[in-house]
């Protein structure tokens, strides 16, 4: 039986890998993305080619619609033209630090854009709306691990506030219009073809260019790094099962998806540097100490992220498990091939 899914942000890091997975599972995937230049759009075009190649092999299909979620008429037309069974909203202005200087981009894509998706789901009912939230909603919470039942009323960046707002908006639309909606709080996602604005990718770029990397909060940060395939596995499982009434009359749920193994930033950098050498991106004997500098905390950053994934495991029998070293090695291998760099 043919099923159609809308994946917004399909040229993005997670959206592309999710789309490639879904075409292999016989879904007809309609991707939607404005392919903006927040980071190198070349990598987004390459991801689109990767999904198209997967669709050429797989039983499903892929078609990308280029457009902006803020264009309400376009989003409405998109939903009117297709009968989407499922919508996965991943398009957003991502990144915490960028929100300090470019707050409007977050209001546009994350609030107005998400509102347009909700309105379209209201007028063209879907079986399940799945959308990306973020671990950043936990703000400066000190109780770890972070659990879905923790209070999340104190975001420390506008990005985090928009993601929390998405959860609230989804609940209201779920309750009012019977839209089954699941929010997924992703924890620092990394992997091949990842986002060049994220720390691990920038570290690789800087070290390759012989520069010095800045390790914030003097290295005293812990992050729950989650491999992209683990995120895709989680999303694919969640898509298949819309939530039951959460007790408020709304078919609504929120889940953490994270590795549940926070790593000290300095340990993370050590592992990254080691695999970059072992995979031939950096030369043997690279003097790492000379290329790192400890720096103070950045506005909007949090000291620790740590996912409690027991609710995900209870409901879907799944929890991410890729070891950091394995995931970073896949990234390093891809990086070396993609930039045709290396020392061997
Ligand atoms: N990668 C992570 O570590 C992480 C962590 C937590 C949450 N998330 C969330 O997961 C989702 C996917 O993240 P990602 O890492 O793949 O990011 P990404 O930036 O690679 O992908 C987002 C895609 O959305 C598109 N987009 C942005 N605004 C748009 C708009 N107004 N209209 C149409 N397209 C638009 C961009 O062009 C991009 O291709 C985002 O919602 C992000 O906030 C990601």
């Amino acid at each position: 039986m043919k099923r159609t899914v809308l994946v917004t942000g399909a040229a993005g890091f997670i959206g592309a890998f999710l789309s490639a997975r879904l075409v292999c599972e016989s879904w007809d995937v309609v991707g939607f993305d404005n392919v903006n230049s927040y980071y190198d759009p070349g990598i987004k075009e390459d991801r689109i080619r990767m999904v198209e190649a997967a669709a050429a092999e797989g039983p499903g299909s892929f078609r990308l619609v280029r457009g902006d979620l803020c264009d309400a008429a376009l989003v409405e037309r998109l939903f009117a033209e297709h009968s989407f069974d499922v919508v996965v909203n991943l398009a957003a202005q991502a990144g915490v630090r960028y929100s300090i200087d470019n707050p409007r981009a977050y209001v546009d894509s994350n609030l107005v854009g998400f509102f347009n998706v909700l309105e379209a789901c209201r007028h063209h009912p879907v079986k399940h709306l799945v959308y990306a939230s973020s671990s950043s909603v936990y703000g400066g919470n000190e109780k770890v691990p972070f659990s879905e039942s923790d209070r999340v009323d104190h975001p420390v960046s506008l990005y985090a506030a928009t993601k929390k707002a998405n959860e609230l908006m989804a609940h209201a639309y779920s309750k009012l219009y019977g839209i089954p909606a699941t929010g997924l709080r992703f924890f620092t996602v990394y992997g091949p073809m990842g986002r060049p604005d994220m720390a691990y990718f920038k570290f690789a770029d800087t070290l390759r260019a012989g520069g010095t990397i800045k390790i914030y909060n003097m290295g005293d940060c812990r992050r729950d790094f989650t491999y992209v395939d683990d995120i895709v596995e989680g999303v694919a499982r969640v898509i298949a099962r819309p939530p039951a009434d959460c007790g408020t009359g709304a078919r609504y749920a929120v889940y953490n998806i994270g590795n549940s193994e926070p790593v000290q930033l300095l340990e993370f950098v050590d592992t990254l540097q080691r695999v970059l050498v072992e995979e031939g991106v950096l030369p043997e004997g690279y003097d790492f100490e000379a290329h790192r500098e400890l720096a103070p905390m950045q506005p909007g950053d949090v000291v620790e992220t740590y996912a409690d994934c027991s609710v995900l495991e209870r409901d879907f029998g799944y929890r991410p498990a890729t070891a950091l070293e394995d995931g970073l090695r896949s990234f390093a291998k891809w990086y070396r091939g993609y930039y045709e760099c290396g020392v061997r």
Side-chain angles (χ1 to χ4, degrees), residues 8-15 32-36 38-39 44 47 67-70 89-95 108-110 113 132-135 159 163 184-190 195 198:
T8 74
F13 176 34
I14 300 169
F32 186 85
D33 205 300
N34 63 3
V35 195
N36 65 42
Y38 162 60
Y39 61 76
K44 296 183 181 182
R47 293 191 194 118
D68 198 311
L69 273 190
C70 297
N89 188 64
L90 300 174
Q93 179 56 55
D108 291 344
S109 291
N110 304 8
S133 182
S134 165
S135 62
Y159 170 67
K163 289 296 179 179
L184 299 174
R185 296 176 178 169
F186 300 145
F187 283 66
T188 317
V189 189
Y190 73 100
R195 275 180 27 208
M198 290 185 69

Side-chain angles (χ1 to χ4, degrees), residues 14-44:
I14 300 169
F17 281 101
L18 178 70
S19 299
R21 159 79 181 254
L22 293 177
V23 295
C24 295
E25 290 181 356
S26 300
W27 285 89
D28 288 325
V29 179
V30 177
F32 186 85
D33 205 300
N34 63 3
V35 195
N36 65 42
S37 53
Y38 162 60
Y39 61 76
D40 176 15
I43 202 164
K44 296 183 181 182

Side-chain angles (χ1 to χ4, degrees), residues 87 132 171 193 204 209 212 216 257 271-272 297 310 330:
V87 171
H171 183 273
M193 277 203 144
T212 300
Y216 291 108
I257 306 193
T271 308
L272 176 66
M297 186 94 161
S310 53
S330 302

Side-chain angles (χ1 to χ4, degrees), residues 110-190:
N110 304 8
L111 297 180
V112 177
F114 189 60
F115 165 71
N116 288 338
V117 170
L118 289 172
E119 273 290 291
C121 290
R122 168 186 173 186
H123 296 295
H124 306 276
V126 298
K127 296 190 182 90
H128 197 182
L129 166 65
V130 178
Y131 60 95
S133 182
S134 165
S135 62
S136 63
V137 300
Y138 292 105
N141 282 17
E142 288 180 357
K143 178 215 143 246
V144 288
F146 297 156
S147 132
E148 294 89 343
S149 55
D150 294 345
R151 285 191 66 167
V152 284
D153 299 327
H154 301 102
V156 296
S157 66
L158 182 65
Y159 170 67
T162 63
K163 289 296 179 179
K164 173 64 186 167
N166 286 172
E167 295 180 359
L168 298 172
M169 293 158 78
H171 183 273
Y173 268 68
S174 176
K175 168 90 177 155
L176 287 169
Y177 308 115
I179 304 167
T182 304
L184 299 174
R185 296 176 178 169
F186 300 145
F187 283 66
T188 317
V189 189
Y190 73 100

Side-chain angles (χ1 to χ4, degrees), residues 63-270:
R63 171 182 161 227
L64 182 76
V65 177
R66 290 173 191 254
D68 198 311
L69 273 190
C70 297
D71 183 342
L74 176 63
V75 174
E76 162 58 30
R77 267 204 316 281
L78 185 74
F79 275 71
E81 272 169 27
H82 301 85
S83 256
F84 295 125
D85 295 290
V86 170
V87 171
V88 183
N89 188 64
L90 300 174
Q93 179 56 55
V96 168
R97 289 184 194 142
Y98 188 74
S99 68
I100 308 291
D101 294 327
N102 301 278
R104 192 168 298 279
Y106 293 76
V107 172
D108 291 344
S109 291
N110 304 8
L111 297 180
V112 177
F114 189 60
F115 165 71
N116 288 338
V117 170
L118 289 172
E119 273 290 291
C121 290
R122 168 186 173 186
H123 296 295
H124 306 276
V126 298
K127 296 190 182 90
H128 197 182
L129 166 65
V130 178
Y131 60 95
S133 182
S134 165
S135 62
S136 63
V137 300
Y138 292 105
N141 282 17
E142 288 180 357
K143 178 215 143 246
V144 288
F146 297 156
S147 132
E148 294 89 343
S149 55
D150 294 345
R151 285 191 66 167
V152 284
D153 299 327
H154 301 102
V156 296
S157 66
L158 182 65
Y159 170 67
T162 63
K163 289 296 179 179
K164 173 64 186 167
N166 286 172
E167 295 180 359
L168 298 172
M169 293 158 78
H171 183 273
Y173 268 68
S174 176
K175 168 90 177 155
L176 287 169
Y177 308 115
I179 304 167
T182 304
L184 299 174
R185 296 176 178 169
F186 300 145
F187 283 66
T188 317
V189 189
Y190 73 100
M193 277 203 144
R195 275 180 27 208
D197 63 311
M198 290 185 69
Y200 68 100
F201 207 126
K202 287 204 283 200
F203 286 169
D205 287 343
T206 303
L207 291 169
R208 181 165 67 102
T212 300
I213 59 175
K214 280 198 170 135
I215 305 176
Y216 291 108
N217 203 29
M218 314 312 273
D220 187 21
C221 277
R222 285 162 300 283
R223 284 282 176 284
D224 208 345
F225 293 96
T226 315
Y227 190 58
V228 65
D229 288 359
D230 290 349
I231 292 286
V232 166
E233 178 66 31
V235 179
R237 286 178 187 236
V238 166
I239 283 174
R241 187 139 32 102
D245 184 338
C246 68
T248 62
R251 294 184 64 193
Y252 172 86
V254 169
Y255 294 96
N256 289 337
I257 306 193
N259 212 45
S260 307
E261 240 180 75
V263 179
Q264 279 280 356
L265 209 46
L266 279 175
E267 186 192 332
F268 172 81
V269 169
D270 283 342

